[in-house]
Amino acid sequence: MPEQERELINNQDAGRYEFYIDGSTPFVEYNIKGDTIFLMHTEVPDELEGQGIGSKLAKAVLEDIRTKGLNIKVGCPFISHYMQKSKQ
């Protein structure tokens, strides 16, 4: 799927960031307390695994959080690994 068709959705009611891709919804769950966002869990449906969707989602989520000026606390191993890998 072309990058421009992949819009990041901040589903505040569900407490998660989402992509909608071919009827599937990869997501990152979060909680916000004050000016800190806690990233807790990332999930990519089986049918989308191996396509780099998780990394693209992580990148979009982190960019959105930075533009909002929130502090980030990471409890999700996938996001933590992505952040470490992207620093290299």
Side-chain angles (χ1 to χ4, degrees):
M1 171 176 277
E3 195 71 29
Q4 66 269 18
E5 293 180 30
R6 212 174 277 137
E7 178 185 355
L8 182 68
I9 306 296
N10 184 356
N11 184 342
Q12 294 177 347
D13 291 337
R16 62 190 208 174
Y17 281 99
E18 304 169 335
F19 278 161
Y20 298 130
I21 302 172
D22 297 331
S24 297
T25 309
F27 61 86
V28 175
E29 291 180 338
Y30 68 82
N31 276 327
I32 296 178
K33 298 217 191 287
D35 64 351
T36 302
I37 186 166
F38 298 84
L39 302 178
M40 303 178 310
H41 176 70
T42 299
E43 191 165 315
V44 175
D46 292 342
E47 63 271 14
L48 297 175
E49 285 188 8
Q51 300 177 38
I53 303 295
S55 293
K56 289 179 176 120
L57 178 60
K59 180 181 179 184
V61 166
L62 293 169
E63 286 175 357
D64 186 68
I65 292 168
R66 288 184 184 116
T67 64
K68 292 178 176 162
L70 295 171
N71 297 309
I72 301 171
K73 297 288 184 184
V74 180
C76 171
F78 181 85
I79 298 284
S80 180
H81 178 74
Y82 173 83
M83 290 173 73
Q84 295 236 335
K85 190 171 77 171
S86 66
K87 286 182 183 180
Q88 298 177 4

